[in-house]
Amino acid sequence: SQQGEEDPQALSIQEGENATMNCSYKTSINNLQWYRQNSGRGLVHLILIRSNEREKHSGRLRVTLDTSKKSSSLLITASRAADTASYFCATDSSNTGKLIFGQGTTLQVKP
Amino acid sequence: NAGVMQNPRHLVRRRGQEARLRCSPMKGHSHVYWYRQLPEEGLKFMVYLQKENIIDESGMPKERFSAEFPKEGPSILRIQQVVRGDSAAYFCASSPQAGGAWNEQFFGPGTRLTVL
């Protein structure tokens, strides 16, 4: 089964609102990463949070990590129509670096 | 510094043909990962290679699929005798190091394989 599971599966909000996506995983991790994928395109790396970190910020993005609950959240503040995409969390639990991806959250931001 | 390059971007094959997908990692990166994405799903790990070595192929189907990363040239993912179920987007990622807390992978644009 997937290491990462995300919810919600789909999210639709108005421009300017905040969007929160959650990711849960099963095993201990080295790090957790969030990626964005526009329809039919490749993946864009957003942020990496290490297992000993609790929160990271990058521009309008805020990621939290709770290793006791094996969960992470991605918050996009003041969303824009250009944020419309699928967002995936991925965990690195091995010593080889292979990533295990969640099913993704599809975000639609309406102008 | 060019990013991860993949070609072709789109590939159409008939059932039974062979598909060859190429990946050139970022300059200075010697670790390559291949992932497959079926429609409406997340990416699934297939294989991890270093130069001239397959390190982890636990996600690779046992038959028809093979991968290599020669000393010179791109990494190749080869699918023999393709079937319709092989239709997917295949992504390559590279990293300057493997594992650990700082392993950020850089993804290529993907190759979209369609099997007719």
Side-chain angles (χ1 to χ4, degrees):
Chain A
S1 62
Q2 285 282 36
Q3 163 78 316
E5 296 186 3
E6 294 165 69
D7 80 274
Q9 288 190 329
L11 182 60
S12 182
I13 59 174
Q14 293 294 136
E15 212 167 21
E17 294 180 337
N18 295 341
T20 300
M21 289 159 264
N22 302 296
C23 169
S24 60
Y25 57 92
K26 295 185 172 66
T27 64
S28 61
I29 59 174
N30 298 316
N31 63 64
L32 185 146
Q33 304 179 38
W34 284 91
Y35 288 85
R36 184 184 74 223
Q37 184 180 36
N38 290 85
S39 180
R41 307 291 292 274
L43 276 79
V44 174
H45 185 268
L46 295 177
I47 202 160
L48 179 154
I49 186 165
R50 292 179 293 172
S51 60
N52 63 352
E53 296 178 311
R54 292 297 164 258
E55 188 172 311
K56 279 189 93 166
H57 297 255
S58 176
R60 295 184 295 114
L61 305 180
R62 173 176 167 253
V63 167
T64 62
L65 179 65
D66 187 334
T67 52
S68 66
K69 295 180 180 177
K70 291 188 169 58
S71 67
S72 174
S73 67
L74 169 67
L75 169 67
I76 304 174
T77 60
S79 64
R80 305 166 181 167
D83 295 329
T84 295
S86 293
Y87 291 82
F88 294 93
C89 70
T91 53
D92 175 3
S93 302
S94 71
N95 59 0
T96 62
K98 71 181 184 186
L99 295 176
I100 308 298
F101 282 81
Q103 293 289 87
T105 293
T106 300
L107 172 66
Q108 181 185 32
V109 181
K110 299 175 185 175
Chain B
N1 188 8
V4 178
M5 313 271 285
Q6 287 189 252
N7 68 81
R9 294 290 302 277
H10 299 274
L11 183 61
V12 178
R13 284 288 178 266
R14 297 192 180 280
R15 280 180 299 169
Q17 291 184 319
E18 178 180 288
R20 278 184 180 243
L21 289 62
R22 295 175 189 78
C23 168
S24 296
M26 288 181 69
K27 188 176 181 180
H29 289 191
S30 59
H31 302 263
V32 166
Y33 304 80
W34 285 94
Y35 297 85
R36 177 166 64 176
Q37 185 179 33
L38 296 171
E40 309 301 324
E41 293 190 10
L43 279 71
K44 289 201 170 64
F45 168 78
M46 298 181 75
V47 62
Y48 159 50
L49 309 102
Q50 294 179 23
K51 283 284 186 183
E52 300 184 275
N53 287 302
I54 296 174
I55 307 301
D56 182 348
E57 55 183 346
S58 58
M60 194 93 102
K62 293 286 186 281
E63 296 177 353
R64 301 189 297 108
F65 285 72
S66 62
E68 62 178 14
F69 189 16
K71 188 176 180 181
E72 301 290 338
S75 175
I76 306 286
L77 179 67
R78 182 181 177 207
I79 312 172
Q80 295 178 290
Q81 298 174 336
V82 296
V83 300
R84 288 214 175 105
D86 296 332
S87 295
Y90 292 81
F91 290 95
C92 166
S94 74
S95 174
Q97 63 186 47
W102 290 110
N103 179 41
E104 179 178 336
Q105 293 182 19
F106 297 83
F107 279 78
T111 292
R112 278 153 184 81
L113 172 66
T114 302
V115 179
L116 302 177

